[in-house]
Amino acid sequence: MQTGGQRGPEIWLRGPVDNGPHAGTPQVPERPSSIPAAPRRFSWVATHGGAGVTTLTSVYGGQDCGRDWPGPEDPPSVLLVARTHAAGLASVSRALEVFRRGAAPAGLGLDAVVLVADAPGRLPRPLAQYAKAIESVIDVYRVPWVPAWRIGDLSGEPPRETETLARLTGAARHPR
């Protein structure tokens, strides 16, 4: 293909070719808006009792919907929450199936799954495989066991391992 004396595949050409008097001079990129983007808001939905939604809402912000679907005033972006024990992983799988079938309330969008450790240490192999299967179909954020949270102390920083979750939710993380 030949356009204005330049040769190359069409994919190289994006829009009109400028051969005017300022052709070849670098363009100054447009300055990004100085208005900071507001952090995205989420509705935390527990897939079973004791999933940790209230704690996660306190630490990362967002709307605590408990085990209910978000209401009309709640953010439509959903984060499903479950513990990493067998019953928790099974419940989040059932909730994912609700979204897959299109049976979730209209207007809701499933953004990710948050798996909260049910005990300190590594997951037993069968549970780790179950969690990996969930990760194969949706983004999963893992929250490790936090002993301070167990006794209700939410004053510390979010765990370092949850930095990507903190970025997703817009939760400020202070440098240590």
Side-chain angles (χ1 to χ4, degrees):
M1 178 183 147
Q2 188 164 357
T3 305
Q6 295 180 349
R7 299 190 71 125
E10 288 183 37
I11 196 164
W12 291 0
L13 303 175
R14 298 190 187 262
V17 176
D18 182 10
N19 289 329
H22 301 289
T25 59
Q27 295 273 334
V28 177
E30 189 175 316
R31 183 180 171 153
S33 171
S34 61
I35 300 170
R40 211 158 144 214
R41 293 198 53 230
F42 292 93
S43 289
W44 300 86
V45 177
T47 61
H48 59 87
V53 165
T54 301
T55 298
L56 293 173
T57 302
S58 297
V59 173
Y60 298 100
Q63 180 65 39
D64 181 348
C65 292
R67 294 185 66 191
D68 297 326
W69 291 116
E73 301 298 316
D74 299 328
S77 298
V78 173
L79 295 173
L80 292 176
V81 181
R83 291 284 178 173
T84 55
H85 49 60
L89 295 173
S91 70
V92 80
S93 292
R94 287 189 299 274
L96 287 171
E97 183 63 16
V98 168
F99 275 96
R100 188 193 69 76
R101 288 190 335 259
L108 295 184
L110 177 59
D111 280 277
V113 166
V114 179
L115 295 179
V116 181
D118 66 313
R122 295 172 56 128
L123 285 177
R125 174 173 259 141
L127 297 178
Q129 290 171 336
Y130 204 160
K132 193 168 186 87
I134 293 167
E135 289 172 339
S136 72
V137 297
I138 190 162
D139 290 338
V140 172
Y141 296 88
R142 302 242 189 154
V143 177
W145 181 259
V146 181
W149 291 0
R150 188 174 193 201
I151 59 171
D153 179 6
L154 307 178
S155 63
E157 297 176 14
R160 181 170 282 131
E161 300 90 341
T162 66
E163 194 170 309
T164 56
L165 178 61
R167 274 196 308 271
L168 175 74
T169 60
R173 189 168 187 281
H174 306 290
R176 291 188 187 247

